[in-house]
Amino acid sequence: MGRHSGEWSHPGSRCEMVRVCAVCGKTEERGRHDWGAFAPAGGCDRVRHCLRCGATDSWPEHDWGPWLYANTEFNAPQVRTCRRCQISERTTPTYR
């Protein structure tokens, strides 16, 4: 049916995993990190490290304020600003 089987293993200290198909003997490889929890890294950045190889991954976690209209015009977009890093994001024009 084209499906390979066998147990995945970590042959070294890195995050590459290898398995040999129990039926046809084909070797397959893939990467899979063992991520720890996200931790603050300054501002809105959150960082996590792989517990096996030390690779890093980052993710912003903004503290958004309320959506407010950018101005008093009829088709004004709405804007919200992060309370920590002051970055803003806006919507397309909103007709009220």
Side-chain angles (χ1 to χ4, degrees):
M1 300 278 306
R3 295 186 176 243
H4 297 285
S5 63
E7 294 293 320
W8 289 98
S9 65
H10 289 280
S13 62
R14 305 296 293 175
C15 288
E16 293 82 20
M17 296 176 70
V18 176
R19 79 173 172 184
V20 177
C21 179
V23 176
C24 70
K26 180 181 176 183
T27 301
E28 293 181 293
E29 295 182 16
R30 71 176 181 188
R32 184 172 177 179
H33 293 288
D34 185 12
W35 295 113
F38 279 103
C44 290
D45 292 328
R46 301 293 180 256
V47 176
R48 65 182 177 174
H49 300 278
C50 176
L51 303 174
R52 180 177 290 279
C53 73
T56 59
D57 181 30
S58 63
W59 183 264
E61 186 177 336
H62 295 291
D63 182 16
W64 294 112
W67 286 102
L68 302 170
Y69 285 100
N71 54 48
T72 58
E73 294 179 17
F74 178 71
N75 62 346
Q78 292 186 12
V79 178
R80 68 179 180 172
T81 304
C82 175
R83 293 178 180 105
R84 278 192 294 262
C85 70
Q86 305 306 312
I87 192 172
S88 295
E89 73 178 14
R90 72 180 28 212
T91 64
T92 56
T94 305
Y95 296 98
R96 21 182 185 158

